[in-house]
């Protein structure tokens, strides 16, 4: 039997319950040996449900210090991602974290430095890179079939989908922001990754908070993420729009919302090249190209062995156990947080923000 990676999970909330633990249970080369949550009954529940032999901790430092824990998986509120990651890396343990990487440039740079200094792997969830249609498009673009990919737009806009209203999701000190940092990481990363990871050089943006007082806007399937707090804090945006320029001359429009008066929820990445274009929409995709003088739409047919979250976690385990080349490196996380921070700054000042 191949060696099993012994993982300690910090944070026993919605994303761990619906994505991380079901994925680990499918892997014969993984064993979760410890759970940690400030609410011990949640960690106890995870142990009973998923790995009955795991230990339970209330303090993440105790989990990190456990010699049986070989790798740390972070599924906590956003502000703790960098704090726990740095502690684990400094203890010589590789880290996988939920997105976003961190809530500030200062914190994401600490993570990058800890990874570099320790020589240990740091990866952050980029599940949409691993969707079947995304993998197909990456290969298609890398082979030059779209030509020069010079512009695009991306977004994730919801009709009603405020997570944990009044709790940590809507409290800037703990989340870092609203849908821009919650949903934006997903589609901005996918767009930039498909474009070949150009370096962002300038950003402009605007943010809005229109539904903080409207209790009808927080009832949706997304409320399972985070704990709702009646009368709690809502000091983040519910919609953000922006524009990113890159060092190769390309540009990207962005739009993210938790609540908008639109027809339906949609997540999308549209890219335009001088040979072809593509539209990635709600986890399927099409390619648009000219054939015999006529534009044709070509559906992307792809194998999908598992969901993106599971495939991303499988990739991380493959990196740790087998030395696979990581598709995500910490500099990409630094660039992401620089973009998000600059959009918030631009929204506040009304000016374009340079990243160079």
């Amino acid at each position: 039997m191949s060696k099993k990676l012994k993982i300690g999970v910090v944070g026993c909330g919605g994303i761990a319950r619906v994505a991380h633990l079901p994925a680990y249970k499918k892997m014969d080369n993984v064993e979760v040996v410890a759970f940690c949550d400030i609410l011990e009954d949640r960690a106890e529940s995870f142990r009973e449900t998923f790995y009955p032999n795991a230990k339970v901790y209330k303090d993440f430092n105790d989990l990190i210090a456990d010699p049986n824990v070989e790798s740390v998986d972070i599924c906590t509120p956003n502000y703790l991602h960098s704090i726990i990651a740095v502690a684990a890396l400094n203890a010589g343990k590789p880290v996988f974290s939920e997105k976003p990487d961190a809530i500030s440039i200062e914190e994401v740079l600490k993570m990058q430095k800890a990874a570099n200094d320790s020589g240990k792997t740091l990866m952050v969830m980029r599940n949409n890179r691993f969707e079947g249609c995304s993998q197909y498009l990456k290969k298609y673009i890398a082979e030059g079939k779209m030509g020069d990919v010079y512009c695009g737009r991306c977004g994730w806009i919801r009709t009603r989908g405020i997570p944990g209203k009044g709790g940590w999701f809507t409290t800037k000190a703990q989340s870092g922001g609203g849908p821009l940092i919650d949903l934006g990481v997903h589609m901005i990363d996918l767009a930039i990754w498909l474009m070949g990871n150009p370096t962002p050089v300038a950003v402009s943006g605007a943010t809005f908070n229109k539904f903080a007082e409207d209790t009808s806007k927080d009832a949706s399937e997304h409320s399972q993420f985070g704990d709702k707090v009646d009368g709690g804090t809502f000091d983040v945006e519910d919609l953000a729009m922006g524009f990113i320029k890159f060092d190769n001359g390309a540009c990207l429009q962005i739009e993210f919302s938790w609540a908008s008066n639109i027809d339906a929820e949609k997540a999308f990445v549209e890219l335009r090249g001088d040979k072809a274009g593509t539209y990635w929409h709600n986890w399927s995709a099409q390619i648009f190209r000219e054939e015999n003088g006529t534009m044709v739409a070509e559906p992307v047919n792809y194998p999908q062995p598992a969901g993106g979250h599971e495939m991303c976690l499988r990739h991380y385990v493959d990196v740790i156990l087998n030395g696979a080349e990581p598709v995500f490196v910490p500099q990409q996380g630094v660039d992401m947080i620089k973009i998000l921070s600059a959009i918030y700054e631009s929204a506040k000042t009304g000016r374009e923000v340079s990243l160079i």
Side-chain angles (χ1 to χ4, degrees):
M1 180 181 293
S2 61
K3 181 181 183 294
K4 287 189 176 184
L5 181 63
K6 296 179 180 179
I7 294 175
V9 176
V10 184
C12 298
I15 196 64
R17 186 188 318 111
V18 303
H20 290 234
L21 269 301
Y24 288 142
K25 289 295 290 183
K26 295 179 183 178
M27 303 182 204
D28 59 9
N29 57 353
V30 164
E31 181 183 2
V32 175
V33 297
F35 293 108
C36 176
D37 198 282
I38 58 172
L39 301 176
E40 282 189 275
D41 60 333
R42 285 189 176 181
E44 292 281 3
S45 174
F46 267 57
R47 174 169 66 180
E48 292 171 8
T49 302
F50 296 107
Y51 289 90
N53 295 323
K55 293 182 179 178
V56 167
Y57 295 102
K58 189 173 182 179
D59 187 329
F60 69 81
N61 290 295
D62 294 333
L63 179 143
I64 292 171
D66 185 337
N68 202 35
V69 172
E70 298 173 333
S71 172
V72 176
D73 182 349
I74 304 169
C75 297
T76 63
N78 300 349
Y79 75 101
L80 289 167
H81 292 180
S82 59
I83 295 170
I84 299 170
V86 169
L89 291 164
N90 287 344
K93 299 187 178 184
V95 168
F96 186 95
S97 176
E98 255 302 323
K99 58 79 193 170
D101 309 71
I103 65 169
S104 71
I105 296 172
E106 179 184 9
E107 290 300 307
V108 77
L109 287 172
K110 288 179 183 177
M111 294 171 74
Q112 183 185 44
K113 183 177 187 302
N116 290 339
D117 290 349
S118 67
K120 298 299 180 181
T121 297
L122 167 64
M123 291 188 66
V124 179
M125 181 62 79
R126 295 295 193 264
N127 50 295
N128 288 295
R129 297 186 184 189
F130 291 87
E131 295 292 337
C133 55
S134 304
Q135 293 282 313
Y136 182 96
L137 290 176
K138 181 67 173 176
K139 184 173 184 292
Y140 188 92
I141 295 170
E143 290 174 349
K145 294 179 180 178
M146 274 182 55
D148 177 25
V149 180
Y150 57 92
C151 69
R153 62 189 186 96
C154 69
W156 192 333
I157 48 179
R158 291 176 174 166
T159 56
R160 303 291 183 261
I162 300 171
K165 191 172 184 180
W168 73 262
F169 264 100
T170 62
T171 302
K172 188 173 179 63
Q174 297 182 40
S175 63
L180 176 63
I181 199 166
D182 177 35
L183 306 177
V185 170
H186 285 293
M187 297 299 113
I188 294 173
D189 175 76
L190 179 58
I192 293 175
W193 179 68
L194 290 173
M195 295 169 79
N197 292 309
T199 300
V201 296
V203 168
S204 59
T207 59
F208 302 88
N209 181 314
K210 298 295 184 181
F211 299 112
E213 305 304 321
D214 190 338
T215 58
S216 69
K217 305 300 187 291
D218 56 2
S220 76
E221 69 273 20
H222 306 293
S223 62
Q224 68 177 303
F225 298 105
D227 296 317
K228 181 180 176 181
V229 178
D230 291 333
T233 302
F234 197 132
D235 62 353
V236 300
E237 82 284 357
D238 52 44
L239 182 144
M241 302 184 77
F243 192 77
I244 307 167
K245 297 177 182 176
F246 299 97
D247 60 346
N248 63 353
C251 64
L252 184 68
Q253 301 176 45
I254 65 168
E255 177 182 5
F256 300 95
S257 73
W258 278 337
S260 292
N261 292 317
I262 55 175
D263 61 336
E265 178 173 349
K266 61 194 75 173
F268 63 92
V269 172
E270 178 186 78
L271 297 177
R272 303 176 196 175
D274 55 8
K275 292 183 179 179
T278 186
Y279 187 51
W280 187 107
H281 175 252
N282 291 357
W283 295 272
S284 63
Q286 287 182 300
I287 293 167
F288 304 98
R289 57 184 177 78
E290 185 177 337
E291 188 174 285
N292 300 321
T294 302
M295 289 298 296
V296 297
E298 175 185 319
V300 172
N301 297 312
Y302 55 89
Q304 184 67 14
H309 284 89
E310 179 180 331
M311 296 306 295
C312 189
L313 289 164
R314 285 184 178 275
H315 172 66
Y316 171 74
V317 173
D318 192 30
V319 170
I320 302 304
L321 291 183
N322 304 315
E325 183 73 21
V327 301
F328 170 88
V329 294
Q331 183 60 46
Q332 293 167 5
V334 171
D335 288 344
M336 175 61 66
I337 301 306
K338 283 183 175 180
I339 287 171
L340 303 184
S341 298
I343 291 171
Y344 286 130
E345 182 182 347
S346 175
K348 185 183 298 184
T349 64
R351 299 184 176 91
E352 182 178 82
V353 176
S354 174
L355 299 180
I356 55 175

